[in-house]
Amino acid sequence: MFYYLRSPKALKRVTKYAFLIWPVVLLCLSTHSYSQKILRLKVDGAINPVVAEYIQEGIEKAEKENAACLLINLNTPGGLLKSTRMIVSDMLDATIPVVVYVTPSGAHAGSAGVFITMAAHVAAMAPGTNIGAAHPVNLQGSMDSIMGEKTTNDAAAFIRSIAEKRGRNPDWAEEAVRLSVALAETEAVKKNVVNLIAENEEDLFRQIDGWEVLVDTTVTTLATTGAPTEDIPMTWVQKILNYISDPNVAYILMLLGLYGLIFEFYSPGIGFPGVVGGISLILAFYAMQTLPVNVAGLALIGLAIVLFILEVYTPTHGILGIGGVVSLFLGSIMLIKSGPSFEWARISLGVVITAVIISALFLLELVAFGLRAQRNKVSTGVEGLLGDTGKALTDLNPTGNILVQGEIWKAQAKGGFVEKDSEVKVLEVHGLTLTVDNLT
């Protein structure tokens, strides 16, 4: 080989091919350096089972594609502890680095967001953001003192173990659960709650480029500068389920479902209100599973619907209906457990007032319809024939046949005789025989 290269002709040939090959080699090296992309998730809202599934699928996709890291842009007021545990478990078991970035300015990593942020391999915050208040939330809302203490102790131990695993401040993490303390971004960095403050994603990627993080049991070096990013959006099913998990949407769906069933019972055979009502109720019940529902509030709303139905079938001139409106209002404001830990699950007072006003107007229309029906002249049955007019089909001498309301009746002339084709008026009803007289 060396003897071959000593030949000027051979050396020239090798040099020529080297100049042709080196651009291709550099391109391959460049491609290899940035072949790993950054996958990005966006969580903006309460933490629920849908969000847990979304993050789980994002981690699986990042692992499958051997991404440089998975970025989670986080802005959440909190959520369910069960869903949070699922997310944290997936993050701790991830085989690729997970970066949580609390953004944009004004965003908050509250309650469940504290657990998720501290479970990240790299935790960052944008200027003007805050983190904290991680008191646990359960689906039933209120808990007795013993159960509440057990839940708090469990959550405190859980977040402390997360902080210790990621090398963050375990004492503050426990205080966030027990005392609901919170920090702005600068204090969070000083107290070793998060790693850094980044103005934007570009600044974040520049700062963490070259960082070594422990992923599972392997030290991984982050290569983020210049790496392409790819968004992972929610699927259309996840978007729908996440949307209806909003307490305001769930509340409206519940009312639509109940009113749909009322209309179906009031006018059987229509079908459409019953179908829409049934679907709305099923969706509402799904959403209620992800919210801290107060059973007393739900019972008051159910009582309101019962009173509305009774008002329709046993008119009381609005007495039962008024009770139903009051019950609906009280039940609506009590439906979701109130308190600092449940800010993310509040039903807007404007939505409640609008729903109650619409229900009251609907009830007033039903009452007015009933009163008008009582004042109207009876148009069916025997009473509907009295005072009505008809036509003599034969001479009534004194009996014969007449046509009234499109039906042929046997009739008797009060005056003894009525000529055929004459207009007659019904005076009395005796079984199947009508007593009539000339209209003029």
Side-chain angles (χ1 to χ4, degrees):
M1 178 71 176
F2 292 107
Y3 288 103
Y4 175 77
L5 292 177
R6 287 178 181 178
S7 168
K9 187 175 181 180
L11 184 60
K12 183 178 179 181
R13 184 178 300 171
V14 171
T15 305
K16 178 182 177 181
Y17 284 117
F19 275 105
L20 292 175
I21 294 173
W22 75 265
V24 178
V25 174
L26 289 177
L27 179 63
C28 291
L29 289 175
S30 175
T31 303
H32 175 72
S33 298
Y34 298 113
S35 60
Q36 288 184 301
K37 57 189 174 183
I38 298 172
L39 298 184
R40 178 169 51 206
L41 303 176
K42 183 178 180 180
V43 177
D44 188 5
I47 303 300
N48 54 47
V50 179
V51 174
E53 178 186 342
Y54 172 55
I55 293 178
Q56 181 186 52
E57 292 178 356
I59 292 175
E60 291 175 352
K61 179 178 174 65
E63 291 175 336
K64 184 178 180 181
E65 298 184 7
N66 192 30
C69 67
L70 176 69
L71 173 65
I72 302 176
N73 286 341
L74 182 66
N75 178 22
T76 178
L80 302 178
L81 185 58
K82 183 178 180 180
S83 299
T84 304
R85 284 185 176 275
M86 294 174 59
I87 295 171
V88 169
S89 177
D90 291 332
M91 292 173 65
L92 295 178
D93 292 337
T95 58
I96 48 93
V98 179
V99 179
V100 171
Y101 182 33
V102 182
T103 186
S105 294
H108 175 45
S111 189
V114 181
F115 291 81
I116 295 171
T117 303
M118 300 198 79
H121 295 93
V122 178
M125 298 176 68
T129 57
N130 60 83
I131 183 173
H135 196 76
V137 173
N138 76 334
L139 287 175
Q140 288 74 36
S142 59
M143 295 181 283
D144 59 48
S145 58
I146 297 177
M147 183 59 68
E149 185 178 355
K150 287 183 178 180
T151 304
T152 300
N153 290 338
D154 180 60
F158 180 44
I159 200 169
R160 191 176 185 91
S161 67
I162 296 171
E164 290 174 347
K165 182 175 179 63
R166 294 302 188 213
R168 299 199 168 92
N169 189 334
D171 294 330
W172 181 89
E174 186 171 347
E175 288 180 358
V177 170
R178 296 188 181 279
L179 305 177
S180 294
V181 296
L183 293 173
E185 77 281 4
T186 53
E187 289 295 318
V189 174
K190 289 180 181 178
K191 293 192 175 184
N192 190 28
V193 175
V194 299
N195 299 104
L196 57 96
I197 300 172
E199 294 287 340
N200 48 46
E201 286 186 8
E202 184 179 354
D203 183 34
L204 171 65
F205 296 151
R206 180 186 59 78
Q207 290 191 58
I208 66 176
D209 186 57
W211 279 27
E212 292 184 345
V213 295
L214 184 63
V215 180
D216 198 7
T217 57
T218 305
V219 176
T220 301
T221 302
L222 294 173
T224 54
T225 300
T229 58
E230 177 186 334
D231 287 318
I232 305 178
M234 283 188 173
T235 65
W236 66 270
V237 175
Q238 289 172 336
K239 288 180 180 178
I240 292 175
L241 295 179
N242 190 49
Y243 180 72
I244 65 175
S245 295
D246 181 276
N248 293 295
V249 177
Y251 173 69
I252 293 173
L253 284 173
M254 182 183 65
L255 292 184
L256 284 177
L258 294 173
Y259 286 139
L261 295 182
I262 289 176
F263 277 117
E264 186 64 32
F265 288 136
Y266 185 66
S267 302
I270 296 179
F272 179 74
V275 172
V276 173
I279 294 174
S280 298
L281 272 182
I282 292 173
L283 293 176
F285 289 152
Y286 168 84
M288 293 298 177
Q289 293 179 355
T290 67
L291 297 171
V293 176
N294 189 324
V295 178
L298 194 61
L300 282 171
I301 293 177
L303 174 62
I305 300 303
V306 171
L307 292 176
F308 289 159
I309 294 175
L310 291 176
E311 181 64 41
V312 171
Y313 287 101
T314 57
T316 58
H317 304 292
I319 295 176
L320 291 179
I322 292 173
V325 170
V326 174
S327 180
L328 177 63
F329 177 75
L330 294 177
S332 298
I333 61 178
M334 292 172 55
L335 183 61
I336 302 298
K337 171 67 178 178
S338 61
S341 301
F342 301 91
E343 290 292 339
W344 57 274
R346 284 187 183 276
I347 298 176
S348 169
L349 185 59
V351 173
V352 171
I353 292 175
T354 301
V356 171
I357 290 175
I358 292 175
S359 300
L361 292 176
F362 167 71
L363 180 64
L364 287 174
E365 179 60 27
L366 284 180
V367 173
F369 177 79
L371 294 176
R372 286 195 300 269
Q374 291 179 7
R375 290 195 295 265
N376 288 340
K377 175 181 176 292
V378 179
S379 57
T380 58
V382 174
E383 293 82 358
L385 292 172
L386 294 176
D388 209 345
T389 58
K391 181 179 180 181
L393 300 179
T394 63
D395 289 337
L396 304 184
N397 190 23
T399 61
N401 296 324
I402 64 172
L403 182 67
V404 181
Q405 296 183 357
E407 299 176 340
I408 298 176
W409 288 79
K410 181 179 179 181
Q412 178 177 341
K414 183 179 181 180
F417 179 80
V418 173
E419 188 178 353
K420 180 182 178 181
D421 296 329
S422 299
E423 295 290 328
V424 295
K425 180 179 180 180
V426 178
L427 303 178
E428 299 175 3
V429 179
H430 301 283
L432 298 178
T433 302
L434 307 181
T435 301
V436 298
D437 198 1
N438 281 306
L439 187 61
T440 57

